[in-house]
Amino acid sequence: MNTFDQILNRKESGSVKWDFMQQKLGLSETDLLPMWVSDYDFKAPQVVLDALQQRVEHGIFGYAERDDAYYQATMDWYQSQHDTHIEREWITTVHGVLPGLAMALQMLTEKGDGIVMQSPGYGSFRKIIEFNDRLVVENPLKETEGKYQLDFDHLESCFANGAKAMIFCNPHNPTGRVWSESEMIKVAELCELYQVWLLSDEIWGDLVVGDAQYYSALRLPKALTQRLIVATAASKTFGLSSLRISNFMIPDELLRARFIRRLDAHGMDVFNSLSMSAATIAYQECSGWLIDLKNYLRSNIAKLEQFIQTELPEVKFVVPQAGYLTWLDCRALKLTDTELEQKFVTAKLVPSMGIAFGKEGSGFVRLNLGCPSASLDIALMRLKKALS
Ligand SMILES: Cc1ncc(COP(=O)(O)O)c(C=O)c1O
């Protein structure tokens, strides 16, 4: 049996996705199948579990720092997986991508400053921008037949109008788009031209499932990296999100010194020994696991595609280039977002509603396919019930 086929009970495990639908989404119905929060219903790789077990058996959890193995594993991973060279000193470590992005915004911009993000775009970007009293400046993606492109003219006008920073999501959540080398370079050139800080969130970078090539901003020519911070993490890749660990790679020395000082200012210069063990072993030993996982995700995505073609032809779906989040265009059904949500709740399936990703997401839903194929079968039946 494929290990990813195993159905594990996540209820009462403190899972946001499974246990907190009432608190977070206001849904009190029973037997809901959650396909919203982007984490897997799979066990983490066995070697990661073994390393954690071993670390627990050691039994001492005093203050910890990142050791050589942690740095080396991280650098080797980017070199071998993404042909991306990282200098050891570029690596700063934060307790999650969102906390690090929020800290970078606080450090680099002032209250009231405009921060650019694409729309549709990850809702938590909006949250950290707004809750830090900055303004969301939307750069809507251009969509044709489900394919998304950056609107560079509009982006330039956002910068010309004074935006101070941009959070760029590569690969992109929720559309699964992998931005090309030339697109990345163009974004960075515009940032340089208008002196805009570029925060490139590359948490999805390991999860390319199509033919597109992920081009990390860390590969940009040096002249384009002076205002660059790149967020990466093993957490999304290997299902370790609650271990709260990410790396913020900062090639520019002065910018890096400012960021490290900012981390120190928050007392964030001590690291979680369990998270470090997990991230280290994952990068050292789990490239094979990742290949298997991506094959599994591809087959889940293909199953959804087939199902939609035959059972729900009104729904438009383009296979994501990266990730396991699928972005379903339900606009042809001519439902309001509230009606659409209600239909899903009645069918006992819980996607993320597209409207949560900005007004360009209205009429869409995002379904998380990081689940065993048998759970997907149930989800497909419920999807049909909701939408047909
Ligand atoms: C684009 C993106 N950035 C960041 C995060 C969250 O990262 P973290 O859990 O490390 O804060 C997510 C989670 O879904 C995400 O999709």
Side-chain angles (χ1 to χ4, degrees):
M1 183 191 189
N2 189 323
T3 55
F4 302 115
D5 278 334
Q6 214 183 339
I7 297 193
L8 302 161
N9 181 10
R10 292 186 67 188
K11 284 189 188 152
E12 296 178 32
S13 69
S15 156
V16 172
K17 185 178 175 182
W18 284 84
D19 292 329
F20 287 84
M21 287 182 275
Q22 171 145 31
Q23 186 177 319
K24 305 272 183 189
L25 302 176
L27 301 178
S28 54
E29 288 75 2
T30 51
D31 298 325
L32 294 168
L33 180 58
M35 298 185 91
W36 58 301
V37 175
S38 53
D39 63 19
Y40 304 132
D41 294 334
F42 308 129
K43 260 194 191 179
Q46 190 57 43
V47 285
V48 171
L49 302 179
D50 293 343
L52 286 169
Q53 199 86 45
Q54 225 180 349
R55 188 63 191 78
V56 168
E57 272 163 22
H58 181 261
I60 300 178
F61 300 98
Y63 293 110
E65 236 306 357
R66 297 150 298 171
D67 58 10
D68 287 344
Y70 178 85
Y71 284 105
Q72 199 58 51
T74 306
M75 293 186 289
D76 290 349
W77 181 261
Y78 277 84
Q79 192 63 60
S80 61
Q81 294 284 318
H82 306 304
D83 199 17
T84 299
H85 174 75
I86 293 169
E87 300 282 343
R88 177 179 168 133
E89 57 269 22
W90 296 358
I91 302 173
T92 71
T93 304
V94 190
H95 307 68
V97 168
L98 285 174
L101 290 175
M103 229 173 315
L105 288 182
Q106 288 165 3
M107 176 180 96
L108 298 170
T109 65
E110 305 288 332
K111 287 189 177 177
D113 281 349
I115 315 295
V116 177
M117 63 178 278
Q118 272 65 46
S119 175
Y122 179 43
S124 294
F125 291 160
R126 198 176 296 279
K127 189 166 80 179
I128 58 168
I129 295 169
E130 289 177 348
F131 286 9
N132 281 293
D133 302 315
R134 274 67 173 167
L135 298 176
V136 173
V137 177
E138 284 184 352
N139 175 223
L141 295 173
K142 291 193 283 194
E143 184 257 333
T144 340
E145 293 296 309
K147 301 232 164 70
Y148 284 89
Q149 301 289 341
L150 290 163
D151 184 341
F152 284 106
D153 292 336
H154 184 265
L155 181 62
E156 182 158 9
S157 73
C158 298
F159 291 171
N161 286 332
K164 292 288 187 280
M166 161 156 168
I167 306 181
F168 188 56
C169 190
N170 181 31
H172 183 255
N173 175 3
T175 66
R177 180 74 162 71
V178 176
W179 307 114
S180 68
E181 174 175 355
S182 63
E183 286 168 316
M184 184 77 243
I185 290 176
K186 209 161 162 187
V187 165
E189 282 174 345
L190 282 177
C191 286
E192 184 57 27
L193 183 65
Y194 289 91
Q195 300 285 285
V196 170
W197 299 104
L198 175 55
L199 310 179
S200 186
D201 177 344
E202 303 186 5
I203 195 170
W204 290 96
D206 293 326
L207 287 165
V208 174
V209 288
D211 297 333
Q213 184 71 39
Y214 152 62
Y215 177 86
S216 170
L218 292 165
R219 298 176 71 182
L220 287 166
K222 192 163 189 287
L224 295 178
T225 61
Q226 275 157 19
R227 310 175 70 83
L228 173 69
I229 298 183
V230 177
T232 69
S235 56
K236 190 66 71 190
T237 314
F238 298 105
L240 308 171
S241 295
S242 65
L243 295 185
R244 309 309 295 145
I245 187 164
S246 70
N247 291 309
F248 278 58
M249 318 280 192
I250 312 179
D252 184 78
E253 200 178 335
L254 284 178
L255 182 56
R256 187 168 64 241
R258 281 179 73 188
F259 192 69
I260 291 171
R261 195 179 151 87
R262 172 61 61 138
L263 290 175
D264 280 348
H266 288 271
M268 291 172 70
D269 53 351
V270 176
F271 303 90
N272 182 317
S273 49
L274 291 173
S275 315
M276 287 188 300
S277 299
T280 304
I281 199 85
Y283 280 157
Q284 282 172 339
E285 293 194 18
C286 295
S287 55
W289 183 91
L290 183 57
I291 291 171
D292 294 344
L293 172 93
K294 288 204 275 191
N295 283 335
Y296 198 86
L297 296 176
R298 283 185 194 103
S299 98
N300 271 0
I301 292 168
K303 189 188 265 191
L304 174 72
E305 186 186 28
Q306 177 71 39
F307 187 85
I308 287 180
Q309 275 167 9
T310 53
E311 304 289 337
L312 293 166
E314 282 192 298
V315 174
K316 277 203 221 125
F317 168 58
V318 172
V319 167
Q321 294 177 317
Y324 48 87
L325 305 174
T326 52
W327 186 238
L328 310 189
D329 180 353
C330 307
R331 287 175 296 181
L333 302 175
K334 308 240 177 293
L335 299 167
T336 65
D337 290 300
T338 313
E339 287 164 347
L340 191 57
E341 182 170 27
Q342 197 45 56
K343 284 191 175 288
F344 273 90
V345 174
T346 305
K348 295 198 179 275
L349 182 61
V350 182
S352 296
M353 297 306 299
I355 190 71
F357 299 84
K359 64 180 186 312
E360 282 71 19
S362 177
F364 288 74
V365 293
R366 193 194 72 176
L367 270 190
N368 172 349
L369 302 199
C371 62
S373 153
S375 307
L376 178 57
D377 291 338
I378 298 171
L380 294 180
M381 289 306 125
R382 295 185 185 188
L383 182 67
K384 186 170 171 191
K385 188 170 172 211
L387 297 183
S388 58

